[in-house]
């Protein structure tokens, strides 16, 4: 009984006050008002807490994360292409040497393997238009980027054992990954610019409600982010020369030996370096030295993979990734073709093609038939270095779009290339003449300036014209697929006279400029463009799972019409005394009526 009364009194104390313990010893009971004071002090809002300041710090961390993503993706792209181009260049020079082939590989047929490898790299991207959007939507932008960089690292690893069954399949894999890599990179950089805008303007109503931003709101951020990305990427041409500078240069013959049979250079040349000596190496490099160089390149390629994996964040929110994937695989397959109905893309088509022409022409036609033909193979690395540095610096000139009209970079780059092409028509440098070196370096530098304005301006323009995040992977797939087609054409024309190559380049460039000016004129006149509808995601939410299986090829408007017709038929069937049946006319939908699009964007 005493124990029961003690328990009741303690139970009453818990409601009227608080029990105090010190060192596990009962000391007394706190009054209720003091207990409430302690609780409020413990769980209540901190007196010095500033919600607005904490919110500002949070979005500042978010902005720093976006900058980290931009730098990681840019440096990873630079390292990946630097390793790929450097290894390919070193491999082709070694395999060209007749003594190296006979001593190292006997009758293996390395030149035949190299030709098929180049064919695989050039030809395979032609099929990329069919699978690139599906791969990007299935894996996600970041993971598609990671897989593509991994395929480039796989190509580096196959050079440890140079055989037909290692080099050719890896080259085909490289060709299959070129368009997905560039489409995911372009989409990723553009999304980072848009996310940075959202984190800067987080107090705006359309950002808080995740609605569409006003047209042109992202433009300044897109310009800056594209300039930073291409500034890093063009340095890959400099990084690609490191194996030449630090390893292969010591083994090359001088120009008097390698150019002993070369008679014509420049505009009078045919094919690629006709008469070039088949022996270019003074001595053969040791196998251990080659393994060390390839191991360094493999380590750099693996580093770029790790940068994408650990430092690059996601381009979309998880729910956005799911929504992008759930519009139906049939729609994802068709939408790149449907976007080609937009007159803006059709007008930029020639610029896409020229963008593929000019880079490969500089690396092969100009560097070999003008540069190496005149000042020797040992100076080839300096020509490409001048091109890479000039391109990296020239990418920053796109920042003029912040103050000047957006047409300025593209038209300026086209003007520079037009002047150079006309000059190349009239220039026939003498073989084995080092006095031509300053002019060759100057032409390479100015060509790089035009290339940077061309590529950076095109990517920036596409980001300005197509701000909808559900369209960007389709747009960049179209851009880089046409660029890959142009590179295949350059591979095919390798045996043509130089004047024919220059003519094709000049005609394409002039036509591209006229087409682009016409497009800008139509936009200024507010001529409506035709955009295909992006279907809404079709799923039912139960918890966090999407469980419903739908027809992936049907659009939302078709489903709504079918459901409406079924409801009308049921309602008419339930009216026994109603008027005779008169079929209702189907509502005419605008073809390009996308969700949330402006009216000017939906009429084609």
């Amino acid at each position: 009984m005493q124990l029961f009364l003690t328990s009741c009194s303690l139970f009453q104390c818990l409601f009227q006050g608080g029990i105090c313990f010190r060192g596990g010893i009962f000391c007394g009971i706190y009054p209720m008002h003091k207990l409430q004071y302690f609780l409020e002090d413990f769980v209540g809002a901190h007196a010095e807490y500033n919600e607005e300041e904490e919110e500002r710090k949070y979005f500042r961390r978010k902005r720093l994360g976006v900058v980290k993503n931009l730098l990681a993706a840019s440096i990873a792209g630079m390292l990946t292409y630097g390793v790929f181009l450097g290894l390919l260049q070193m491999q082709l020079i070694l395999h060209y040497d007749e003594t190296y082939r006979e001593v190292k590989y006997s009758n293996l047929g390395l030149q035949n393997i190299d030709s098929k490898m180049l064919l695989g790299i050039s030809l395979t991207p032609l099929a990329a238009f069919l699978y690139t959007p599906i791969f990007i939507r299935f894996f996600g932008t970041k993971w598609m980027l990671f897989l593509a960089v991994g395929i480039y690292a796989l190509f580096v690893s196959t050079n440890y054992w140079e055989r037909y069954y290692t080099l050719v399949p890896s080259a085909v894999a490289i060709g299959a990954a070129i368009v997905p890599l560039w489409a995911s990179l372009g989409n990723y950089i553009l999304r980072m610019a848009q996310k940075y805008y959202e984190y800067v303007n987080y107090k705006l109503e359309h950002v808080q409600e995740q609605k569409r931003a006003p047209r042109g709101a992202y433009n300044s951020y897109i310009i800056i982010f594209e300039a930073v990305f291409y500034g890093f990427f063009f340095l890959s041409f400099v990084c690609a020369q490191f194996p030449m500078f630090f390893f292969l240069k010591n083994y090359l013959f001088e120009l008097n030996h390698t150019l002993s049979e070369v008679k014509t250079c420049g505009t009078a040349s045919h094919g690629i370096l006709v008469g070039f000596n088949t022996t270019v190496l003074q001595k053969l490099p040791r196998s251990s030295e080659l393994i060390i160089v390839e191991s360094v390149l493999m380590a750099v390629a693996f580093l770029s993979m790790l940068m994408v994996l650990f430092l690059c964040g996601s381009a979309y929110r998880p729910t956005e990734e799911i929504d992008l994937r759930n519009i139906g695989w049939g729609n994802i397959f068709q939408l790149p073709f449907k976007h080609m109905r937009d007159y803006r893309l059709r007008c930029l088509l020639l610029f896409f093609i020229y963008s593929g022409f000019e880079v490969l022409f500089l690396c092969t036609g100009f560097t070999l038939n003008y540069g190496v033909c005149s000042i020797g193979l040992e100076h080839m690395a300096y020509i490409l270095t001048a091109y890479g540095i000039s391109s990296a610096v020239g990418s920053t000139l796109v920042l003029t779009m912040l103050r000047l009209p957006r047409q300025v970079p593209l038209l300026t780059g086209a003007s520079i290339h037009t002047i150079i092409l006309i000059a190349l028509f009239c220039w026939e440098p003498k073989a084995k003449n080092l006095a031509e070196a300053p002019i060759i370096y100057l032409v390479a530098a100015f060509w790089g300036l035009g290339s940077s304005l061309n590529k950076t301006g095109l990517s920036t323009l596409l980001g300005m014209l197509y701000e909808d995040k559900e369209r960007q992977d389709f747009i960049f797939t179209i851009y880089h697929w046409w660029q890959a087609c142009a590179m295949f054409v350059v591979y095919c024309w390798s045996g043509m006279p130089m004047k024919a190559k220059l003519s094709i380049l000049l005609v394409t460039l002039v036509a591209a400029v006229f087409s682009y000016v016409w497009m800008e004129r139509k936009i200024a006149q507010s001529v409506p463009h035709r955009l295909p509808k992006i279907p809404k995601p079709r799923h039912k939410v139960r918890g966090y799972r999407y469980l419903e299986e739908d027809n992936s090829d049907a659009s939302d408007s078709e489903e709504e019409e079918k459901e409406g017709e079924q409801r009308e038929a049921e309602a008419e069937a339930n009216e026994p005394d109603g008027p005779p049946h008169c079929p209702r006319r189907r509502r005419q939908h605008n073809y390009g009526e996308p969700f949330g699009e402006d009216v000017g964007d939906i009429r084609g």
Side-chain angles (χ1 to χ4, degrees):
M1 188 65 180
Q2 185 68 26
L3 179 62
F4 175 74
L5 292 174
T6 305
S7 301
C8 290
S9 61
L10 287 175
F11 185 72
Q12 185 178 6
C13 289
L14 287 175
F15 281 94
Q16 295 179 353
I19 301 175
C20 173
F21 288 91
R22 290 181 184 176
I25 302 173
F26 175 74
C27 301
I29 300 175
Y30 277 115
M32 190 62 186
H33 67 277
K34 289 188 177 182
L35 181 62
Q36 289 177 351
Y37 170 77
F38 288 132
L39 287 175
E40 289 178 0
D41 185 60
F42 182 72
V43 283
H46 198 273
E48 299 179 358
Y49 179 77
N50 188 335
E51 184 177 357
E52 186 175 350
E53 179 68 16
E54 293 298 323
E55 187 181 40
R56 189 183 63 82
K57 291 180 180 179
Y58 170 78
F59 282 102
R60 184 179 62 184
R61 291 194 297 270
K62 286 289 188 179
R63 291 195 296 272
L64 291 176
V66 171
V67 173
K68 180 259 298 178
N69 294 340
L70 170 66
L71 295 178
S74 303
I75 295 173
M78 176 191 72
L79 295 178
T80 300
Y81 258 79
V83 168
F84 169 65
L85 295 175
L87 179 62
L88 188 63
Q89 176 180 308
M90 182 181 73
Q91 183 187 59
L92 293 176
I93 292 174
L94 291 175
H95 293 180
Y96 179 82
D97 187 83
E98 189 176 16
T99 306
Y100 180 87
R101 296 197 308 268
E102 291 178 356
V103 172
K104 292 277 187 178
Y105 295 97
S106 185
N107 58 351
L108 189 61
L110 278 181
Q111 280 191 311
N112 182 42
I113 294 176
D114 288 344
S115 63
K116 292 182 178 179
M117 185 178 67
L118 293 176
L119 179 62
I121 295 174
S122 304
L123 182 61
T124 313
L126 300 184
F129 200 72
L130 304 177
Y131 59 77
T132 297
I134 295 176
F135 280 8
I136 292 177
R137 293 291 174 101
F138 181 79
F139 292 109
T141 303
K142 174 194 170 177
W143 293 107
M144 186 68 252
L145 179 60
F146 173 73
L147 290 174
V149 172
I151 290 175
Y152 277 77
L154 173 67
F155 175 78
V156 178
S157 66
T158 57
N159 283 266
Y160 284 108
W161 185 253
E162 296 177 319
R163 294 294 186 271
Y164 182 90
Y165 53 83
T166 59
L167 294 179
V168 176
S170 63
V172 172
I174 284 280
I178 286 177
V179 177
L181 171 66
W182 277 102
S184 55
L185 259 179
N187 188 19
Y188 191 82
I189 300 301
L190 193 54
R191 282 294 302 144
M192 290 302 108
Q194 293 177 340
K195 292 178 78 170
Y196 195 87
Y197 164 83
E198 294 172 359
Y199 295 147
V200 169
N201 302 282
Y202 60 90
K203 292 185 178 181
L204 297 181
E205 182 179 356
H206 67 269
V207 175
Q208 292 180 351
E209 297 181 1
Q210 297 184 14
K211 292 182 179 180
R212 187 180 176 192
R215 186 169 296 279
Y218 300 123
N219 287 358
S220 59
Y221 300 95
I222 292 173
I223 294 169
I224 295 171
F225 276 57
E226 293 290 349
V228 171
F229 169 71
Y230 277 101
F232 277 101
F233 168 74
F234 279 114
L235 290 177
S236 63
F237 290 92
V238 180
C239 298
Q241 307 312 312
F242 287 170
M244 192 79 160
F245 285 136
F246 300 113
F247 172 66
L248 199 58
K249 185 180 178 181
N250 301 324
Y251 295 93
L252 296 177
F253 274 114
E254 295 182 352
L255 72 163
N256 291 325
H257 174 81
T258 55
L259 301 175
S260 58
E261 300 296 328
V262 176
K263 303 300 180 185
T264 57
C265 295
T267 187
S269 61
H270 290 69
I272 297 179
L273 275 181
V274 177
F276 196 67
N277 202 318
T278 56
T279 305
V280 296
L281 300 176
Q282 297 179 13
K283 55 182 180 179
L284 300 182
R286 296 180 179 178
S287 298
S288 59
E289 295 175 339
L290 288 173
I291 291 174
I292 292 174
V293 173
E294 290 168 358
S295 299
V296 171
L297 295 176
M298 185 66 212
V300 175
F302 188 67
L303 175 63
S304 65
M305 288 181 62
L306 294 180
M307 291 184 69
V308 174
L309 180 61
F310 293 112
L311 296 181
C312 290
S314 178
Y316 298 92
R317 301 182 184 92
T319 53
E320 290 176 339
E321 293 271 10
I322 295 172
D323 289 344
L324 291 174
R325 195 178 298 124
N326 276 285
I327 67 173
W329 298 111
N331 290 318
I332 294 173
F333 177 80
Q334 296 171 23
L335 280 168
F337 298 94
K338 292 181 178 180
H339 275 86
M340 287 299 296
R341 297 171 178 174
D342 187 356
Y343 73 82
R344 297 175 297 177
L345 279 178
R346 293 201 303 268
C347 290
L348 290 173
L349 189 66
L350 290 175
F351 249 125
F352 298 162
I353 294 173
Y354 179 76
S355 180
F357 280 166
E358 54 97 1
V359 174
L360 213 54
F361 171 77
L362 184 281
C363 295
T364 57
F366 174 79
T367 301
L368 297 177
N369 288 60
Y370 284 86
V372 174
C373 184
S374 180
I375 60 178
L377 184 62
E378 62 270 24
H379 292 89
M380 182 177 71
Y382 297 102
I383 299 172
L384 293 174
T385 300
Y387 169 79
I389 294 176
S390 174
S391 300
V393 174
S395 297
T396 60
L397 296 180
V398 178
L399 297 176
T400 57
M401 294 174 72
L402 294 171
R403 299 296 180 188
L404 300 176
R406 68 186 182 191
Q407 299 89 343
V408 171
L410 271 178
L411 296 181
T412 303
S415 302
I416 293 172
H417 278 191
T418 302
I419 295 171
I420 294 175
L421 287 171
I422 295 173
L424 292 179
F425 259 110
C426 309
W427 186 29
E428 184 181 347
K430 295 180 180 179
K432 297 175 289 186
N433 184 13
L434 289 176
E436 305 279 2
I439 302 176
I440 291 172
Y441 295 146
L442 188 63
V443 171
F446 274 101
W447 190 277
L449 178 61
S451 292
S452 63
L453 293 174
N454 174 17
K455 292 192 175 301
T456 314
L458 270 179
S459 295
T460 305
L461 180 63
L462 290 176
M464 291 178 174
L465 295 178
Y466 300 94
E467 297 177 341
D468 302 330
K469 58 189 174 185
E470 66 268 15
R471 300 184 187 277
Q472 291 161 2
D473 51 347
F474 302 130
I475 301 302
F476 281 99
T477 296
I478 294 170
Y479 169 31
H480 292 293
W481 183 75
W482 282 105
Q483 198 175 40
C485 292
M487 291 181 178
F488 176 69
V489 173
V490 175
Y491 170 80
C492 294
W493 79 18
S494 58
M496 294 175 61
M498 179 56 65
K499 288 184 178 179
K501 300 176 185 177
L502 294 173
S503 300
I504 295 173
L505 281 169
L506 189 58
V507 170
T508 305
L509 178 58
V510 172
V513 170
F514 277 107
S515 179
Y516 171 64
V517 172
W518 184 56
M519 182 205 77
E520 290 288 1
R521 182 173 176 272
K522 292 182 72 173
I523 293 176
Q525 294 174 348
S526 300
V527 177
H529 44 269
R530 187 179 186 182
L531 281 175
K533 177 186 176 182
I534 302 294
K536 299 176 187 177
R538 295 188 305 278
H539 45 237
K540 288 185 178 179
V541 184
R542 296 180 183 176
Y544 63 93
R545 299 178 185 272
Y546 296 101
L547 302 174
E548 185 175 2
E549 294 286 340
D550 287 334
N551 179 12
S552 62
D553 291 329
S555 65
D556 289 335
S557 59
E558 292 174 353
E559 291 182 353
E560 291 171 0
E561 288 172 2
K562 290 180 181 178
E563 292 175 0
E565 290 174 357
Q566 290 176 357
R567 286 195 296 268
E568 291 169 6
E570 292 174 358
E572 291 171 357
N574 294 330
E575 294 178 1
D577 300 328
H581 173 69
C582 295
R584 290 185 62 181
R585 185 179 177 183
R586 203 181 234 189
R587 176 174 173 253
Q588 296 296 323
H589 289 267
N590 282 330
Y591 165 74
E593 188 175 356
F595 179 72
E597 291 285 345
D598 291 343
V599 176
D601 295 347
I602 64 177
R603 296 192 299 270

